[in-house]
Structure formats: structure tokens, C-alpha cells
Amino acid sequence: MVEVAEKHRVVIVGGGFGGLYAAKELGRAPVEVTLIDKRNFHLFQPLLYQVATGTLSPADISSPLRGILSGNKNTKVLMDEVTDIDATQQKVMLQNGEVPYDTLIIATGVSHHYFGNDHWKPTAPGLKTVEDALEMRRRIFMAFEAAEKETDPEKRKAWLTFIVVGGGPTGVELAGAIAELAYKTLKQDFRNIDTGAAKILLLEGLDRILPPYPPELSEKAAQSLGEMGVTICTKTLVTNIENNVVTAKQGDQVEEIPAQTILWAAGVKASVVGKVLEQRAGATLDRVGRVMVEPDLTLPNQPNIFVIGDLSVYTHQDGKPLPGVAPVAIQEGQYVARLVRERLLGNDLPPFRYNDMGSMAIIGQNKAVANMGGAKFSGAPAWFLWTFAHIYYLIEFDNKLIVMLQWGWNYFTRNRGARLITGEGVLEQVNVDADGNYAVASASQAAAKV
Amino acid sequence: MVEVAEKHRVVIVGGGFGGLYAAKELGRAPVEVTLIDKRNFHLFQPLLYQVATGTLSPADISSPLRGILSGNKNTKVLMDEVTDIDATQQKVMLQNGEVPYDTLIIATGVSHHYFGNDHWKPTAPGLKTVEDALEMRRRIFMAFEAAEKETDPEKRKAWLTFIVVGGGPTGVELAGAIAELAYKTLKQDFRNIDTGAAKILLLEGLDRILPPYPPELSEKAAQSLGEMGVTICTKTLVTNIENNVVTAKQGDQVEEIPAQTILWAAGVKASVVGKVLEQRAGATLDRVGRVMVEPDLTLPNQPNIFVIGDLSVYTHQDGKPLPGVAPVAIQEGQYVARLVRERLLGNDLPPFRYNDMGSMAIIGQNKAVANMGGAKFSGAPAWFLWTFAHIYYLIEFDNKLIVMLQWGWNYFTRNRGARLITGEGVLEQVNVDADGNYAVASASQAAAKV
């Protein structure tokens, strides 16, 4: 083997699936790795909806990045945020200082997209971070508490109406989980309300839910959700969200639906680092700001800048762009790491090819759909496949144990221990004024007035 | 048995140990129970320091009140806050409406006390709520992250200095847990700093730590903490906390200690409901606002108002006031519930007597002290006693399983999976100005400027 200089510097931005698997793969390579992330932990996003609906705790689906990589002595973790990139001088500017690179791997992902209606965000939060999930959890469980206290039947109905916007996997998973909560888990817990009277609406703009899946599976998923009590509205566009009323348009028909809990699972937009790459490294962006990449996942004319994971748009061997899912990001991260190692040896690799193991979505207990290389599953077999795959990919062994135990326990008892309402100013937010807006007066202040 | 009217109304304020055990004990009684709490869950406070130091998640030590009491069909849970009490008309005023009572049980506990220096609070947070614990966790782990990035040796030293104010059980537990973090768990995780260089100071005003315990156990605890690397300063008073500098006075000697992480475990003050009882029901309060109660835990001249748990001061059979610990609150709650039932039958009960099973504090792995009815334990036996007792009293079976698994796993691996830095505006808070104050500019704003 050729002696390689020990100091080829690989800088990875983002500790999600793409960045983390690239870093892991480079752990034994003769390079210096710096992994930069705003957070100190890797988040297993596919299970985030279970935090939002009270099954799991944030720590169950998170692993400290330093802990995962502590054995890789060539790897440094920096908790910081990229503010700029200098592609000529080959360095990344951070909030605190700068880091030079020989190879740069960008994997900063995506966040929610409100299609130009960012003012909907406070009323209809999305689900990308731990904080997002805790906010959803707070709203979902607070809605039942508020309904229990509400005496006006119209207002009570609005507290018991849950609207999920977007019929992709996240929307389907959220709607299914809320149905299980309302119609099963919480059934015995209230005295003034019947949680079984809750309405759960899943709104989707296209003609079926789970649009990227084969139509039979969309059909199966819709059937399961229907049996669970979820009302699915397809070909339905949200045209406004204001004062906790959703305006939904289905063909020529426009309906205004009062709902205190509106959850956004509809669109994504690229991380702001995409824009930095456009301005500083000549990247081309798509409509939502994602970065177009070459067959080896580099930027055009920037052979040492890679963009992977949800932030990148890569056209698959069959001509379609790859979806923004964890397996794509993992394989891209591993591919780039291998390519960096090969290049150090003077070799190259063939273009990236995605090995599609299939896709799946969970709907509820014993209910899921899966499409594995043409074989389609639904019901209990799909549910077991989903469960196995998600446990398998949890990065740390102790998380696997805890999540298995939680799921096993929930499976037999339908219990949800993590349904805590937490956060600053918890109580005041249940006090709503006539318009359904949250009051701002602090509960402790009110008590102190005595 | 005499036929009893089905509608004697018992209102319990507070879902901590006292209130919850009273409610549980009344589940089969011929009364209507309303349990009022600001939060929707019962919190197992003795383990809160393990959330603050990254071993457990909030949900592991919390149980939804509605879930615990869902089987008690005579019991209603209200998520609300008491603003006033009318002892003449026998009703409790809430933020949303009012609730009439025949018997009122107040168990609203205590919060931190800064001895008239409430402006220390933002710099030196205390540990009473889930939010408090997450804030401590954020500060502890953020301090290591900031030290890793800091190049100035003095500032780095301040990031690696942890001061715990107060040598009671909570202070001892916090100091021990931080020592295990710095000197063991995180040892391999950083590249620029040696976490072993961290300084952990435990400040106590009296002449020994764990003052309510027998002196031999205080000695043993001090010895164990010393071996773990904690510096204990007894007879030390904190006279000021400003700009992340603690002014500590030991006799005539005054020292200023720069420290970015200052944790408050020193004093308690009564819940504001104590003051309401003073004004509305003629209660007598002690120096920190706790309520003096009769031998049957009622207020003087108010035979149907009980005050239990940390909020009450009850003079024990041996002439000493009972300490503010969970077993006292539990036994008081159970006693009051029994007394309510007996009164409905026309009977009375002898005065409350506390059955003291002993007290204990944990210091670290295999290190604890326990005093059980005169028998004193330390080291591994005390640690096993502590572990068993805490698992035993966790209210729900699934929490017991999860916590056992977490502890078992941590015991063998020293891993801490829950060391997440979460909360709004996470990243900006690591950016401190020259005075060590947190900067307010948002990280995302900075990135968006590009």
C-alpha cells in the first residue's frame, strides 16, 4: 500500500444519517475528520412521530454524536453552525471560527416548507426536530385537557378536531397514532368528554395518500386508517390557516374547519447551506432549494465538495430522483466515504447507485404497508417488517433495548407513558380567549396576585 | 355499615406524593374526588437529578395523572391552578372556574429559595421541575462543548468549573453525578480538552454535608465524594453570584470563583398556596412560608382543610419537625384519606405518626449512604438499598422496567444516552461574550445573512 499523507482533512457538515454514516465509514481511514453539527446528538427522525404522540422519549431515538464517534481517534466533533463556505481557499466559516478542508461533505438536510405561507407555522407546526416533536406532543395532549374543561360545545368540538396536513408517511403515521390515542389509549381517562368523539382529518392534495407508493398500498393504508377512525380527504388543498380555522378546497368546494390542533406534514425546503453552495460554489438548486449533484455526488466543477442526503437531488439509475429517506442518505454517506479513501489511493469509483430495499409506513398496531423490491406487504407482516427495520437501524444498542421494551409494553397494554405536557409556560397556554387564541398571562403571576 | 351520602366532595390540590397517595387511597371510598394539578403528570422528584445529569428521560420518572387514576371512577383530574380559596363558602377558585369542596387537601409543595437573592436564579438554576432538570442538563453538557471550543485557558477553566451550592441529598447527588460524567463517561469524547481537568465544588454552609444524617454517614459521604474528585467546602456561605462568579465566604476568607455552571440545591420556599391559606383560612406560616398543622394534619380551627407533604410543618412524635421527603408526604396522604373515610362513618383517628423507614442519599456507582432505623449503611450495600427503594416506589410498572434497564445498562457501560442538549435557541447559547454572558443573536439569523 502506498504511504498516504496522514492529514487529508475531511469536513462533514451535519450529523444526520448521511453525515454520520460518512464519518463512521472514515473512522479507520488515514484522514482527519471533523464532524460539525448544530446539535450534540444524532436524531433517528423516522421515529420522531412517536415522540410527538407520547410513545417514546427524545433520548430513546437520539444518540450523542461524541459517544457514537468516541472510538474514532481521527475524528473531532464540533457543535457549531456553518455561516459561509470559501470554496477557493477551501474552508468552512462557523459561528465560532473557521475550519479548513481538503474534502467537504455537506449533509444538512431539509426543514418544513409552507409554500410561501410561513405565517401558518405558529398554528401548524411541522416535525423535524426534537423541539418540534415536544411541541406537537404538548398541543395534542393539551387539546384533550382543554376539551375536558370546555363547556361550549362548538369550542369543545374544535379542541377535539385534529387536522394533519399532508398524506405522506409522516402524515399517515401521525394521523394513525392520534387515532389510537383518542379511540383507545385515552378512552378511560376523562370524565367530561368522550375522546372517542374526536375527529381526525388527514388532508392530501393528490388523489391518494402515500403518493410515492404503489396504488394498491395507498389503498390498503387508506382502508386501515378509515377503520381506525381517520377521515381522509384527498385532492384537498389547504388555502388558508388562520385563527385556528383551516380553509380546505376540494375541487370547487371550499370548507372552513375549526381545529385547535393542526399539524403540518406537507412540504420540505432545503437547509440554508444549499443557498451558500449556490452563491459560493456555483451549485444549481431545485425549486425548494435542494442541490443538484453529479453521479459521484459532487458539485459540478467542485470535485472535492459532496452534497448528500435530503439536501441533494440525485437522479437515480432508473431516471427518477431519489426520495429523501434515511436509506438513501446512509448509502450516499457510505459511498462518499469509500470514494474519499479510494481517491487517496489514486483510484476512482463508479457512479453512486442506490440499492433500494423498499419503503414502508406504519399506520397503527399491526397495521402498516411495505413495498420491498416489488413485493407488497400490509397488515401484521408489514408491521413486523417495519418494527424490525426501525429497531435494527437505531444506532446504539441501549436505544434498541429501550425502544424494544417500550414498544413491547405498549403493544400489550396500549399504554403511553411519555404523554407529558412540558415546556415553559405550560399552564397558561391552555387558557384560550374567545377566538381560540392562547392567552399570554402567566399562571404563576395570576396565582401571585392573591 | 351505615349508608353514607355518595357525594362528599374531596378536593385535592397537587399531584405530588402527598396528593397522589391521598387520591389513590380514596379511590374506593364513597366520595367524589377532584385532583387538581398544574401539570398532567406525577413526577418522581427523587430521581430528577438523573434527568439533570443525562441518565434518565423525563418520561422515565413521570406518570400521567389521568393514567394512574383512570381506574378510580369516583375521581376527576383537572389540569388547572389554584388562585384563591374561600374557606367560608368551601370552594377553591381556579384559573378556569371554581370547585366546591367538603374536604380540602392541599399538597402543593415547595420551590427553590434564594434567601432573598432571586436575581441569582438565572445564573444558578434549581431543581424542582422537569424543565429545571432539562435546563441543568443543557448547561452541564453545553459547558463541555463550550470548553472544547474555547482557546483562552482562563475561560476554558471557568467552563470546566461546576459549583453545586448546598450539601443536602440533592447537592450530593448532583456533585457525584457530574464527577462521574467528567472523570468517566465523557473521558474519551473530546479532543481539545481533558474532561478530567474539570473542577467540581460542593459548597455547604454548615460544618458537614448531609446535615440531617448521622455524622458518621456525612463523613462516609464526604470521603466517597472526595475519592471521586469532588472538592467539598463546608462552613462556606455564598454571598454573591454575579457574571458567573461565585463569591464564597469561609470564616473570614472570601474567595471569588469563576464558574460557568452553577447549580442551586440550597433552600426551599413554600408554594404560594401557603400564603393563600394564611390570608383566607388563618393558617400560621413558618419562616419560609410552610404551613403549621395540627396533629391530624388539619389547619387550626379548619377541621376540613388538610395540608400535607413538603408544604406542611408537622412536629413529629419525638419533637422534631418532619423532613420534606417523599415517604413523609406519602404517609400523610394515606393518613388523611383514611381519616376522611373514618369521619364519614362517624369515627376519628389518633394523631398522625410518621413511620420512619430511614433516609438515604446516592453518591455514585456502588456509593451511597443509608440510615435505616439506626442501622447505618454505606458503599455497595447502601447503593443497592437505594436502587431497590427507588425502583420500588416508581409508580408505574413500565417505568420500573425502563429505569431498571437504563440503570443496568449504565452500570455496566457507564453510558449516558440521555445527554441531549435541547431547548429553544440551543446553539446561540454556547456563544458567550467576554463577560461570560450568553449572546442573544440567533444562530439561524447569522446563517441566513449569507
Side-chain angles (χ1 to χ4, degrees), chain B residues 12 14-27 35 42 44 65 68-69 72 105 107 308 326-338 341 392-396 400:
Chain B
I12 303 171
F17 287 103
L20 180 61
Y21 278 81
K24 278 163 68 92
E25 193 82 17
L26 287 169
L35 175 66
H42 167 72
F44 194 83
L65 287 168
I68 303 170
L69 299 169
N72 295 4
I105 304 172
I308 60 175
V328 171
I330 290 173
Q331 292 181 30
E332 290 182 344
Q334 290 169 333
Y335 170 85
V336 168
R338 278 198 303 272
R341 284 199 321 237
Y392 181 82
Y393 276 103
L394 274 173
I395 201 116
E396 287 198 284
K400 289 187 215 273

Side-chain angles (χ1 to χ4, degrees), chain A residues 79 83 145 149 423 431 450, chain B residues 66 79 83 96 131 149 450:
Chain A
M79 189 174 164
T83 55
E145 295 293 335
K149 288 197 275 192
N431 302 306
V450 178
Chain B
R66 291 189 189 283
M79 189 173 163
T83 55
N96 300 286
E131 286 79 9
K149 288 197 275 193
V450 177

